[in-house]
Amino acid sequence: MEVIRTKRRADVEIGDEGEDLVLATLVANGDDISPLVRHAFEMGRPMGLLRQLDFVVKKKEAEIEAMCKTHYEEFILAVDELRGVLVDAEELKSELQSDNFKLQQVGSTLLIKLEELFVSYTVKKNVTEAIKMSKNCMKVLELCVKCNNHISEGEFYPALKTVDLLEKTYIENIPAKALKRVIEKRIPSIKSHIEKKVCSQVNEWMVQIRSSCKIIGQTAIGRAASNRQRDEEMLERKRKSDGLNISGGEDRAYSLVVEEDEDSAMKFDLTPLYRACHIHSCLGILEQFHEYYYKNRLLQLNSDLEISSMQPFIEYYQTFLAQIAGYFIVEDRVLRTGNGLLEPDQVETMWETALAKITSMLEVHLPQMKSATHLLLVKDYVALLGSTLRQYGYDIGQLHDVLDNTRDKYHRLLLEECRNQIVDVLGSDTYEQMVIKKDSDYENHVLSYNLQTSEIMPAFPYVASFSSMVPDACRIVRAFIKGSVDYLSYGVRSGLFDVVRKYLDKFLIEVLNESLLDIINSSSISVSQAMQLAANITVLERACDFFLRHAAHQCCIPVRAAEKPQGSLTAKVLLKTSRDAAYIALLSLVNAKLDEYMNLIDGINWTTEETKTTGNEYMNEVIFYLDSLMSTAQQILPLDATYKVGTSTLEHISNTIVGAFLSDNLKRFNANAVMNINIDLKMLESFADDRFYSSGLCEVYPGGGFKGCLIEARQLINLLSSSQPENFMNPVIRERNYYALDYKRVAYICEKFKDSADGIFGSLSNKNTKQTAKKKSMEVLKKRLKDFN
């Protein structure tokens, strides 16, 4: 510690010696030492100066003493000479005093004037300098006032220009040091205040633009929807004018033209942002502002991406997506016009953040949706969002991928909804032919689905061959096609028609066809329902071509491409199978009903002694039922189906008649019973011929009539009524007249054919020879059949 003090003392002494040397040099040179004196008093160190002066005096005295010692003799001589000179000097002094007195008397007045003149010059100089200084100060103060006014009015750029002018031009020339210090101190504060004010304005702008983003997004998406609607209308007109000769329309996309003269909702003011950039550039902290803007906008984006779990997704998705769309529309404008305020990589980072959140949200909520309509609405809005932002250069591939992944989910929901509608339609159908009373209904129910069988407009009221379920089902199918195309149009990049056709086929097979089969296989179906259902399926099968053309029309591809053989619907084949199943069900029901009437045949008297002229009662019931059945079939079913119903029912009746003879319950019958059955059969044959020719089937099937369906029963009755039944064993005669009969069945029936004592095959004593011969012939036939078997 002592060493440190010694060192400091030595430093002080060295410093003092240096100052003494300076003072001595000034005194030796005769220089003015008043600045040193003034400085010493200003610094509060007068004693130090006195010590230094004492030191200089002592040093000079020592020098004088040394000099005197060195030049002693010369000094004595000099003193002598000086004394001589002193006398002369005294004389000269006296003269000078006299002259000076005279001069003083003369110049005293002049000196007074001269002093006054000097004072005047000094005052003038000071006044001039004061005026100049005052003017400078006034100019500075005016600039300060101007700066304050600019700041108070929010004109920060002029304020900064004023501050810059003060700094570069005036501040160094301010004579008033106090004013200069005040201004120098206030300039940083002014700049800081301006920066805060500008940032405050930017923050207000961010709040305002955030609240406007939803409207901006909704407007942009609404414009995209309008443009899409306009494009679809133009495409529809082009389809009509070109006859659907359109190619390259599978990848449907529409353009969103971002016009310069945007409507008011799309206009947003970036002036505060531009002004802030300019102000920060003037302040030299532009990069700092760039970072500030990016961080705050990123915070806003993250806040916008936060989703409340309390609100259902279907209620907030549009607002959420519109907010995001508006946000990135604003950022695109900032990127294009902000002069480097945002970098492309920064915008890309923000978009990737938002895209990840949107896709994750969609992947969570879309699979959970229970309504195809809601899913379509969400998909449509997401597609519009993607199309809108794609026009601004944003990559939307991930959005399309998410929508593509929900394709099967949407169609499952759509199939289920349409299934319920189809079931309701089938359940509420009366299965009665539609009666169309006016041309508008005809156009809505028939022409709209290409269900007409003739190009000529029919007379009204018009009775259609189908019931109301057909146009209702067609309407549902057409709605399904539209729903499918609407969902796939802006997600599927290629092969739209193929995808729509696949789902259409799936709908027709798994929904429409299966629902029809459920009705066909139900135990409650009636004959009229089965017949009408078969007719309806025939019409629906024909409508499959319309469905395919309509799908092609919606997908904007040429109809000829949809009509290629490899492009047909599998459902068409399955509907044919279902139609056949309906025919089988119809025939089964008809045969069951006929069995109710034909069972009455068991109740007739098979050993009657009388022959009837009008036939048995059951046959009248059968013919009446057949007449009603065929009339209805002729109105509803196509000719081939009507022919099939007629042939099947008559074959069933023929089999029933033959089966009556084969029944174990029938032990014996006689010729009278055969003659009565023959009358029944003739009545049936007459009805069959009449119906065959009156229905026009003779023109379609010229080689065969309904009568041929009764051939087995007819040949059996002919054989039993024949006078020479043994001819059955003649191959030529059998092939010509009895080819439908089976040996064993004939043998079994003939065993039951026994005549009574007074019958046609009675004893010779009671009947004529011809009858006896017939009986003998029958006995011969029986014997030969036994031998054959």
Side-chain angles (χ1 to χ4, degrees):
M1 196 66 183
E2 186 63 30
V3 173
I4 296 174
R5 291 175 180 174
T6 304
K7 184 177 180 181
R8 288 179 178 174
R9 190 181 301 114
D11 292 338
V12 172
E13 290 176 355
I14 293 172
D16 292 341
E17 289 180 0
E19 292 177 355
D20 293 342
L21 290 175
V22 172
L23 185 60
T25 303
L26 292 174
V27 173
N29 294 335
D31 293 333
D32 187 9
I33 63 173
S34 59
L36 287 177
V37 176
R38 187 185 301 108
H39 177 70
F41 280 95
E42 288 177 354
M43 296 299 293
R45 294 174 55 190
M47 298 308 296
L49 180 62
L50 292 176
R51 286 195 301 271
Q52 291 174 4
L53 291 175
D54 290 340
F55 174 75
V56 172
V57 169
K58 291 178 181 179
K59 186 176 181 180
K60 290 297 181 179
E61 288 178 351
E63 289 179 357
I64 293 172
E65 185 177 355
M67 185 176 292
C68 290
K69 289 179 180 181
T70 303
H71 304 284
Y72 177 74
E73 293 180 356
E74 288 85 351
F75 182 72
I76 296 296
L77 294 175
V79 170
D80 291 340
E81 291 178 0
L82 184 58
R83 286 178 178 176
V85 172
L86 183 59
V87 174
D88 295 334
E90 286 293 335
E91 291 178 358
L92 181 60
K93 179 179 178 182
S94 176
E95 292 177 359
L96 287 174
Q97 286 179 346
S98 176
D99 293 337
N100 181 56
F101 178 76
K102 294 177 182 179
L103 182 62
Q104 290 295 328
Q105 287 181 341
V106 175
S108 59
T109 303
L110 295 176
L111 287 174
I112 293 172
K113 296 297 184 181
L114 182 60
E115 289 177 358
E116 293 177 355
L117 180 61
F118 284 155
V119 170
S120 298
Y121 277 124
T122 302
V123 171
K124 179 183 178 182
K125 180 180 179 183
N126 292 339
V127 170
T128 302
E129 291 180 357
I131 291 173
K132 183 178 179 182
M133 293 170 59
S134 299
K135 288 181 178 180
N136 289 338
C137 292
M138 288 179 64
K139 182 63 176 178
V140 169
L141 292 174
E142 287 175 357
L143 291 176
C144 291
V145 172
K146 186 177 180 181
C147 179
N148 288 336
N149 292 335
H150 286 317
I151 293 174
S152 62
E153 294 174 2
E155 300 173 351
F156 300 121
Y157 178 69
L160 280 180
K161 295 297 289 183
T162 303
V163 170
D164 186 63
L165 183 63
L166 282 172
E167 281 187 308
K168 294 181 179 179
T169 305
Y170 289 96
I171 195 167
E172 294 299 331
N173 298 323
I174 297 176
K177 295 181 179 180
L179 178 61
K180 180 178 180 180
R181 285 195 299 270
V182 170
I183 292 176
E184 288 177 342
K185 183 178 180 181
R186 293 297 298 171
I187 284 176
S189 300
I190 292 172
K191 291 182 177 180
S192 176
H193 176 75
I194 291 175
E195 180 188 358
K196 291 179 181 179
K197 280 289 187 180
V198 170
C199 289
S200 176
Q201 290 182 352
V202 170
N203 292 338
E204 292 176 0
W205 176 85
M206 286 185 181
V207 173
Q208 183 271 332
I209 202 66
R210 182 185 182 187
S211 62
S212 301
C213 280
K214 181 179 73 174
I215 300 176
I216 294 171
Q218 289 173 341
T219 303
I221 293 174
R223 175 175 296 169
S226 300
N227 288 337
R228 181 179 68 179
Q229 181 66 29
R230 184 188 63 231
D231 292 345
E232 289 178 349
E233 291 173 355
M234 293 176 61
L235 192 60
E236 181 67 23
R237 290 195 294 270
K238 181 174 177 60
R239 279 198 293 258
K240 292 180 179 179
S241 62
D242 295 347
L244 298 181
N245 292 323
I246 301 173
S247 60
E250 291 188 357
D251 185 11
R252 293 177 63 179
Y254 58 91
S255 61
L256 173 63
V257 180
V258 182
E259 301 175 351
E260 293 297 329
D261 52 341
E262 299 169 316
D263 55 51
S264 58
M266 284 293 290
K267 290 181 179 179
F268 45 91
D269 187 15
L270 295 181
T271 302
L273 205 57
Y274 299 149
R275 181 166 56 242
C277 286
H278 191 52
I279 295 299
H280 282 81
S281 176
C282 294
L283 292 173
I285 52 174
L286 184 58
E287 292 299 325
Q288 175 182 329
F289 177 71
H290 289 178
E291 188 67 22
Y292 174 84
Y293 175 80
Y294 174 67
K295 287 183 178 180
N296 280 274
R297 286 295 281 166
L298 191 58
L299 288 174
Q300 284 189 333
L301 175 62
N302 291 329
S303 178
D304 290 339
L305 292 175
E306 292 179 359
I307 300 173
S308 173
S309 59
M310 304 298 294
Q311 190 177 11
F313 173 74
I314 196 66
E315 294 181 4
Y316 70 79
Y317 77 92
Q318 288 191 0
T319 302
F320 174 80
L321 295 178
Q323 182 74 22
I324 300 303
Y327 179 94
F328 284 99
I329 290 173
V330 171
E331 293 312 302
D332 174 76
R333 177 79 67 82
V334 172
L335 176 65
R336 289 186 290 109
T337 63
N339 195 23
L341 177 57
L342 278 179
E343 295 295 333
D345 292 342
Q346 292 175 325
V347 177
E348 187 66 24
T349 299
M350 291 191 291
W351 172 240
E352 290 175 357
T353 301
L355 188 61
K357 182 65 177 181
I358 294 172
T359 53
S360 64
M361 177 193 69
L362 293 176
E363 288 171 351
V364 169
H365 291 285
L366 291 185
Q368 297 176 357
M369 302 192 76
K370 305 299 182 182
S371 169
T373 302
H374 289 166
L375 189 56
L376 177 60
L377 289 174
V378 175
K379 179 265 173 188
D380 190 55
Y381 206 80
V382 172
L384 289 173
L385 168 72
S387 298
T388 299
L389 293 181
R390 182 174 56 189
Q391 305 303 319
Y392 293 93
Y394 296 103
D395 182 15
I396 59 171
Q398 292 186 35
L399 290 178
H400 282 167
D401 293 339
V402 172
L403 297 180
D404 287 345
N405 294 335
T406 60
R407 183 190 308 171
D408 291 337
K409 168 69 176 181
Y410 169 76
H411 283 89
R412 283 197 300 271
L413 294 174
L414 187 60
L415 285 173
E416 191 59 33
E417 291 181 2
C418 291
R419 185 191 306 277
N420 295 333
Q421 295 175 18
I422 290 292
V423 170
D424 291 341
V425 165
L426 295 179
S428 61
D429 190 19
T430 60
Y431 294 96
E432 296 177 355
Q433 292 175 271
M434 283 191 71
V435 178
I436 301 175
K437 299 181 179 180
K438 51 186 179 180
D439 54 354
S440 59
D441 292 340
Y442 183 79
E443 183 175 353
N444 292 332
H445 297 307
V446 179
L447 297 180
S448 296
Y449 309 108
N450 201 22
L451 303 180
Q452 69 274 15
T453 56
S454 174
E455 297 298 330
I456 301 174
M457 182 69 72
F460 297 101
Y462 168 73
V463 180
S465 63
F466 48 82
S467 65
S468 62
M469 64 85 62
V470 171
D472 290 341
C474 290
R475 194 173 297 111
I476 295 172
V477 175
R478 188 168 64 179
F480 176 85
I481 294 172
K482 185 179 185 306
S484 181
V485 172
D486 287 344
Y487 196 86
L488 298 173
S489 295
Y490 304 101
V492 176
R493 289 87 186 270
S494 61
L496 172 62
F497 174 69
D498 294 334
V499 180
V500 172
R501 179 177 58 192
K502 180 188 75 171
Y503 286 114
L504 173 61
D505 219 8
K506 185 180 181 70
F507 168 73
L508 293 175
I509 294 172
E510 297 183 4
V511 176
L512 181 60
N513 188 60
E514 289 185 2
S515 299
L516 291 170
L517 285 176
D518 291 340
I519 298 294
I520 293 170
N521 297 327
S522 66
S523 59
S524 60
I525 189 171
S526 64
V527 173
S528 60
Q529 287 179 328
M531 184 180 296
Q532 188 63 64
L533 198 58
N536 291 347
I537 294 175
T538 301
V539 178
L540 289 173
E541 175 196 344
R542 190 170 69 246
C544 285
D545 295 332
F546 164 77
F547 298 149
L548 201 59
R549 290 195 300 272
H550 183 69
H553 179 85
Q554 292 294 312
C555 295
C556 305
I557 69 166
V559 173
R560 62 178 180 275
E563 293 176 344
K564 293 180 180 179
Q566 63 271 23
S568 61
L569 294 170
T570 307
K572 192 172 183 180
V573 178
L574 294 180
L575 283 173
K576 288 182 180 179
T577 305
S578 298
R579 181 198 60 188
D580 294 339
Y583 286 148
I584 293 173
L586 170 63
L587 295 176
S588 177
L589 293 170
V590 170
N591 292 339
K593 187 66 176 177
L594 287 173
D595 288 340
E596 295 179 10
Y597 297 120
M598 293 300 295
N599 286 338
L600 298 176
I601 198 172
D602 295 333
I604 66 174
N605 188 356
W606 290 95
T607 57
T608 181
E609 299 297 329
E610 299 177 355
T611 57
K612 297 181 179 182
T613 58
T614 59
N616 293 299
E617 184 64 26
Y618 79 91
M619 186 54 65
N620 294 326
E621 297 289 340
V622 169
I623 291 176
F624 179 79
Y625 177 73
L626 287 179
D627 182 63
S628 174
L629 176 70
M630 295 304 294
S631 297
T632 305
Q634 187 176 347
Q635 293 177 0
I636 297 176
L637 298 178
L639 287 178
D640 59 338
T642 303
Y643 181 76
K644 187 174 182 179
V645 170
T647 55
S648 297
T649 53
L650 291 173
E651 284 177 1
H652 182 74
I653 293 173
S654 176
N655 293 334
T656 303
I657 293 174
V658 174
F661 284 99
L662 292 171
S663 174
D664 293 337
N665 296 327
L666 178 62
K667 303 302 181 181
R668 64 189 291 262
F669 63 90
N670 59 18
N672 289 336
V674 172
M675 293 177 66
N676 291 336
I677 296 296
N678 187 35
I679 294 173
D680 294 341
L681 190 58
K682 286 181 179 179
M683 293 172 59
L684 194 60
E685 287 173 335
S686 175
F687 166 79
D689 280 343
D690 179 68
R691 179 58 65 180
F692 181 75
Y693 289 101
S694 64
S695 62
L697 290 172
C698 57
E699 299 177 1
V700 182
Y701 302 97
F706 287 154
K707 189 175 181 179
C709 299
L710 301 169
I711 190 65
E712 184 178 10
R714 167 47 57 197
Q715 290 182 0
L716 177 62
I717 297 302
N718 288 344
L719 176 62
L720 296 177
S721 304
S722 173
S723 60
Q724 295 179 327
E726 74 275 9
N727 289 341
F728 179 77
M729 301 307 297
N730 187 324
V732 177
I733 296 176
R734 184 175 67 249
E735 183 64 27
R736 185 177 66 248
N737 297 330
Y738 306 111
Y739 57 86
L741 299 178
D742 179 72
Y743 278 100
K744 294 181 180 180
R745 300 176 76 177
V746 170
Y748 184 72
I749 293 172
C750 287
E751 288 296 328
K752 300 180 181 183
F753 188 62
K754 297 178 181 179
D755 212 356
S756 60
D758 53 354
I760 60 173
F761 292 126
S763 63
L764 292 174
S765 60
N766 296 324
K767 297 295 178 182
N768 57 31
T769 304
K770 184 176 179 180
Q771 292 172 332
T772 303
K774 181 176 180 180
K775 180 178 180 182
K776 290 181 178 180
S777 179
M778 181 60 70
E779 295 296 332
V780 171
L781 175 61
K782 291 179 182 179
K783 185 176 183 301
R784 289 185 178 181
L785 287 172
K786 288 182 179 179
D787 295 340
F788 181 80
N789 292 331

